[in-house]
Amino acid sequence: MQFKSLTLICIFLTVALVGCGEVRPETLTVGEVKCSHCSMSIVDMRFHTQLITYKGKRYHFDAIECMDQFQKQKVIKIKNIWVTNYLDTKEFIPKDEAIIIHSDKIRSPMGAGLAAFKTHEDTIPFQK
């Protein structure tokens, strides 16, 4: 009897610990998902932004400005926000570590000209 109880406890703990892994951004296929704020299809992956709440709800945005407006309108507890590196669409950067600039040389989907970069040096070609 004790062996069965110990086995069930071990199985439960294993399942619980597997579900506690680090939350990572999802990669999308172009046009597969609509922006959670403006409902436009996400097609320019240079501007793709993701937000995940403490409850595990994930939101996708077609531009940084859409994510900013969404945050202003909703009362949610945010766990993570990732922005796509403008120069490498396969790389996500935590928003608090990203260098976000406004530039007239950048044409973001919603027109605000915001883009995220990994380093200050990467932003130099886009400065005025």
Side-chain angles (χ1 to χ4, degrees):
M1 187 68 171
Q2 286 183 348
F3 180 71
K4 286 185 178 181
S5 296
L6 183 60
T7 302
L8 288 174
I9 291 171
C10 287
I11 290 171
F12 174 77
L13 288 174
T14 301
V15 170
L17 290 174
V18 167
C20 292
E22 182 181 355
V23 178
R24 307 283 303 151
E26 293 178 338
T27 55
L28 301 180
T29 303
V30 173
E32 172 182 270
V33 174
K34 293 190 181 290
C35 176
S36 295
H37 178 68
C38 71
S39 299
M40 284 178 45
S41 291
I42 300 172
V43 294
D44 192 341
M45 302 311 281
R46 296 175 299 174
F47 303 99
H48 177 216
T49 303
Q50 293 182 43
L51 179 153
I52 190 163
T53 67
Y54 276 99
K55 291 185 177 182
K57 176 77 174 149
R58 188 177 301 264
Y59 297 94
H60 295 272
F61 303 95
D62 65 339
I64 296 169
E65 52 268 30
C66 275
M67 188 262 314
D68 288 340
Q69 288 300 314
F70 182 85
Q71 281 184 270
K72 289 177 185 174
Q73 294 174 353
K74 305 284 184 186
V75 178
I76 53 176
K77 292 191 178 192
I78 299 167
K79 183 173 184 176
N80 296 96
I81 298 175
W82 297 282
V83 291
T84 302
N85 182 351
Y86 183 80
L87 299 177
D88 180 1
T89 60
K90 295 184 182 350
E91 180 180 20
F92 286 96
I93 308 166
K95 185 181 180 206
D96 57 348
E97 296 175 18
I99 312 302
I100 298 175
I101 66 163
H102 171 267
S103 174
D104 294 335
K105 296 179 181 180
I106 295 172
R107 297 183 55 99
S108 63
M110 299 307 290
L114 298 176
F117 296 87
K118 192 171 186 172
T119 67
H120 287 287
E121 292 78 25
D122 290 343
T123 68
I124 291 171
F126 303 95
Q127 299 295 326
K128 292 182 179 182

